[in-house]
Amino acid sequence: MANIALTEAVYYILLSLLSPRHGYGIMQNTEILSAGRVKLAAGTLYGAINSLLEKGWIMALPGEKDSRKKEYVITEEGKTILHAEIVRLKELLENGTRILEEQL
């Protein structure tokens, strides 16, 4: 698990699913969190959702019987993965900042 590097799309999907959301809500939240820089296409999003479901990092919530919208939420395992990614990104930032400052 310590060697997992998330794609930016997966990172934002997991962040978005700290609160239950349906697919379109994930797309909107990702765009908001990234200040418009990351825009998920439907194919990318649903491919990632299927992969995350298989890994057990997210789960589908039971929905209303007639509703086509599925809501998803991050699992405890997904939170562990997300936390490890944040630690990894902090290390990258700290190393880059330190090395760059040594050169100035």
Side-chain angles (χ1 to χ4, degrees), residues 56-67:
W57 297 358
I58 67 171
M59 66 180 195
L61 296 175
E64 294 180 26
K65 194 174 189 179
D66 297 329
S67 178

Side-chain angles (χ1 to χ4, degrees), residues 8-77:
E8 197 168 11
V10 167
Y11 177 77
Y12 279 117
I13 291 168
L14 291 175
L15 274 179
S16 294
L17 291 177
L18 288 168
S19 297
R21 284 187 169 67
H22 53 75
Y24 186 67
I26 296 168
M27 292 167 82
Q28 289 179 312
N29 197 54
T30 294
E31 194 167 340
I32 290 167
L33 290 173
S34 68
R37 194 176 49 76
V38 177
K39 297 178 183 182
L40 296 173
T44 301
L45 174 64
Y46 288 104
I49 284 175
N50 287 333
S51 176
L52 294 171
L53 285 167
E54 288 175 12
K55 291 177 179 178
W57 297 358
I58 67 171
M59 66 180 195
L61 296 175
E64 294 180 26
K65 194 174 189 179
D66 297 329
S67 178
R68 289 179 26 151
K69 291 183 181 179
K70 277 191 181 175
E71 281 195 318
Y72 304 92
V73 69
I74 194 169
T75 62
E76 288 304 314
E77 185 177 0

